Amino acid sequence: QKEVEQNSGPLSVPEGAIASLNCTYSDRGSQSFFWYRQYSGKSPELIMSIYSNGDKEDGRFTAQLNKASQYVSLLIRDSQPSDSATYLCAVNDYKLSFGAGTTVTVRA
Amino acid sequence: GAGVSQSPSNKVTEKGKDVELRCDPISGHTALYWYRQSLGQGLEFLIYFQGNSAPDKSGLPSDRFSAERTGGSVSTLTIQRTQQEDSAVYLCASSPGSGQGLYGYTFGSGTRLTVV
């Protein structure tokens, strides 16, 4: 059983700050990594994918992958109240294995 | 269709009744997945389809749960003799393919099942 572990949170950050989310995974052979955002009462929405070691930036989001350490992270720069949600880390073989999620609250 | 469509959006059923949940994936997506999410919990994998076959049914909680997919498109998840612990949001997702998973999934809006 592939395991994906995330900081349980909740994570509270002031508006404009950087939110840092961490995720570790157990399967060293994993190749594809995703971050999903889930608003309360809604379904998960894909916000980032990363496949190679290093950083990948998309707007205010940066995903970081270190396969040697089996670690993937998500940075949210200039956090906005609309970023308040649960963020799910997912690792894909032929199916996605999800972490339990980290709830982020951005205080105005 | 433009997105993954699930129906019904909400279902309240009496304990012991059977229910059917439907998922219509994005047109052309060959892989289809069912997950469930209990209140405040993470996503629990149930079953995966590639085309009409189900290579991985390992997440189905009991033999009361079954699923099928026809025509490489619509999938139905059936829960027989529902129990209160079956209450959850059932999420369907689809993707263009599987293998080493180059693609993320697109989720439907889910079916909220309440067993009373």
Side-chain angles (χ1 to χ4, degrees), chain B residues 15-78:
Chain B
K15 178 181 173 181
K17 300 285 190 183
D18 298 352
V19 295
E20 286 190 352
L21 313 179
R22 176 188 168 102
C23 173
D24 196 348
I26 291 173
S27 178
H29 279 194
T30 57
L32 185 148
Y33 307 82
W34 284 97
Y35 288 79
R36 76 176 175 181
Q37 189 172 32
S38 300
L39 188 63
Q41 302 299 309
L43 274 72
E44 176 188 4
F45 169 78
L46 298 178
I47 188 169
Y48 148 62
F49 287 92
Q50 182 62 38
N52 290 335
S53 63
D56 188 351
K57 306 178 183 180
S58 62
L60 294 177
S62 74
D63 59 8
R64 296 186 296 104
F65 288 72
S66 63
E68 65 175 10
R69 188 180 186 194
T70 56
S73 181
V74 173
S75 176
T76 302
L77 177 68
T78 301

Side-chain angles (χ1 to χ4, degrees), chain B residues 81-100:
Chain B
R81 305 181 304 281
T82 52
Q83 304 294 312
Q84 288 185 329
E85 62 262 28
D86 300 333
S87 296
V89 176
Y90 289 80
L91 291 162
C92 176
S94 69
S95 76
S98 57
Q100 272 299 298

